[in-house]
Amino acid sequence: MTNRINLLVSLFAGLLFGLGLAISGMTYPGKVLNFLDLAGNWDPALLFVLGGAVGVTVIGFRWILRRKAPLFSAHFFLPRAQDIDRKLVVGALIFGIGWGISGYCPGPAIASLASPNWETWVFLPSMLLGVFLHRILTTTKNKDT
């Protein structure tokens, strides 16, 4: 029963996230690319989306973390790593370059499956291929050490 509740809560959270992305226009790569184009047709809308997300997170985390555990789990799953290491910086650079070139990041790309275009069908398999290659390379590297 608990697994079904977790799945339903996860489904609801994902739908809410996707709806927010769609309403804000963040599923349109051109809107994101215009946000990144400071010297051209700059569109500040992403700042409002980001500001809303940060505001909800700041308030929500303070309120939620007062609890001993989340509603649907025995404990919180919070990151422990606080170091800014080479892997984080390289990954952030690759992510940023990909986002800047395509206008897509994973969440909006998945949400855009509701109204896909050819770019979605190129981006998502390419993203999954990148994830797959990373797993192969890091698994091979970890076996060698």
Side-chain angles (χ1 to χ4, degrees):
M1 181 69 169
T2 303
N3 273 347
R4 285 186 181 170
I5 290 173
N6 284 344
L7 288 174
L8 287 173
V9 169
S10 296
L11 176 64
F12 176 75
L15 288 172
L16 185 62
F17 178 71
L19 181 64
L21 290 172
I23 289 171
S24 66
M26 292 303 115
T27 56
Y28 300 111
K31 191 159 191 81
V32 174
L33 292 173
N34 284 342
F35 170 74
L36 298 173
D37 186 8
L38 297 176
N41 190 25
W42 186 63
D43 180 357
L46 188 55
L47 279 178
F48 294 103
V49 174
L50 179 61
V54 169
V56 168
T57 300
V58 167
I59 294 167
F61 265 54
R62 289 180 185 262
W63 179 63
I64 290 169
L65 291 177
R66 289 182 186 156
R67 301 178 55 84
K68 291 183 191 255
L71 293 176
F72 303 106
S73 183
H75 58 87
F76 288 105
F77 294 89
L78 300 172
R80 292 192 178 117
Q82 295 182 352
D83 298 338
I84 297 176
D85 60 2
R86 183 176 181 270
K87 284 173 43 178
L88 176 64
V89 172
V90 170
L93 285 170
I94 292 170
F95 178 88
I97 290 168
W99 191 33
I101 290 172
S102 70
Y104 280 113
C105 71
I110 292 168
S112 69
L113 285 174
S115 59
N117 57 35
W118 70 269
E119 295 163 335
T120 306
W121 294 111
V122 171
F123 177 81
L124 281 173
S126 301
M127 179 186 75
L128 293 174
L129 179 62
V131 169
F132 179 71
L133 288 173
H134 175 262
R135 286 199 176 164
I136 288 174
L137 293 172
T138 56
T139 301
T140 305
K141 186 178 177 181
N142 291 338
K143 284 182 181 178
D144 292 341
T145 55

